[in-house]
Amino acid sequence: MPSLRLPDGRLAYRDRGTGPALTALHGFTLGGASWLEVGRLVGPGRRWLLPDLRGHGGTRLRPGAPHTLAAAADDVVRLWDALSLGPADLLGYSMGGRLALHLAATHPERIGRLVVVSAHAGLAPAARPARRAADAALAAGLERDGLAAFVDAWTAQPLFAGLARRGAGPQARLRRWRLRNRPAGLAASLREMGAGAMEPVWDGLARVRAPVLLVVGAEDARYRAAAERLRGHLPQAQLAVVPGAGHAVPLERPHLFARVLREFLLATDP
């Protein structure tokens, strides 16, 4: 797997396929490999760039390096620059979706098309302290109890109940991916890149002129409301609600998600 030298470490990423490049940003505890199934289902004709975000997978940083959305956004821009990409297509799920929105709000000129799955652009100020404290408590529990116990507790949340539809095999594969992470990296990601730590970027979304697809599961009421709000802030946004899916749409219903994504990309291809 190739890697990109950063000022404070190395960014691991996968570079698969040929054609217009699509950078896909994964959710918390996952990695770039979590997009491989969707990539196969979308079919040929796309180049998939799949970075392991800070704190995850094969990416390695020096001790004390930041694990913020801003630092992760800089990593993505550095990757685009290293590969000589102009305006880039960007896809993000959950934590990766929040990062994608951060990138779109802070670097709108770098976005060709934007796909955001099960994400929001920041919590209300009154809600942030409690969420930040909750994420810090989760990080402390991870450091205390170990990675396996944390992964099992994390995936047992009602938010991810829809993953059971895939059966034992896919669930076991997801668990193996999650266990490839390092506790210190995930703990830092929780503390610095969690929803409570995220500086809201709602006001910056009006500058995004790229075509936008917002995807949410029909059973994920909280994030469906967030997607409706996002649609009001993004000038060229459309919303797709995937039936029979909860929060983890690309992992729960990969065939349906791939069809929605493929149709959007084909409709907006230059």
Side-chain angles (χ1 to χ4, degrees), residues 64-87:
H67 288 68
T68 60
L69 284 178
D74 286 345
D75 295 343
V76 175
V77 172
R78 287 178 184 276
L79 179 61
W80 289 341
D81 288 344
L83 299 176
S84 301
L85 296 181

Side-chain angles (χ1 to χ4, degrees), residues 55-197:
H56 292 76
T59 290
R60 296 289 181 262
L61 304 174
R62 289 198 289 269
H67 288 68
T68 60
L69 284 178
D74 286 345
D75 295 343
V76 175
V77 172
R78 287 178 184 276
L79 179 61
W80 289 341
D81 288 344
L83 299 176
S84 301
L85 296 181
D89 294 342
L90 183 63
L91 160 64
Y93 156 65
S94 197
M95 180 189 76
R98 291 190 290 107
L99 175 56
L101 289 166
H102 176 95
L103 271 161
T106 56
H107 298 80
E109 75 287 351
R110 299 302 300 263
I111 308 301
R113 288 172 292 188
L114 176 65
V115 182
V116 177
V117 188
S118 304
H120 58 74
L123 299 177
R128 290 181 63 199
R131 179 56 186 270
R132 195 162 193 168
D135 286 342
L138 284 172
L142 165 60
E143 293 166 333
R144 180 186 65 246
D145 301 330
L147 180 60
F150 174 81
V151 164
D152 290 341
W154 180 261
T155 55
Q157 296 179 87
L159 192 68
F160 302 115
L163 289 171
R165 297 187 182 99
R166 296 295 307 279
Q171 289 186 88
R173 182 174 66 248
L174 284 172
R175 188 174 188 273
R176 288 194 299 271
W177 286 341
R178 289 183 162 109
L179 291 176
R180 292 173 186 167
N181 293 302
R182 296 185 175 188
L186 291 187
S189 179
L190 273 170
R191 292 187 175 107
E192 299 181 50
M193 210 184 301

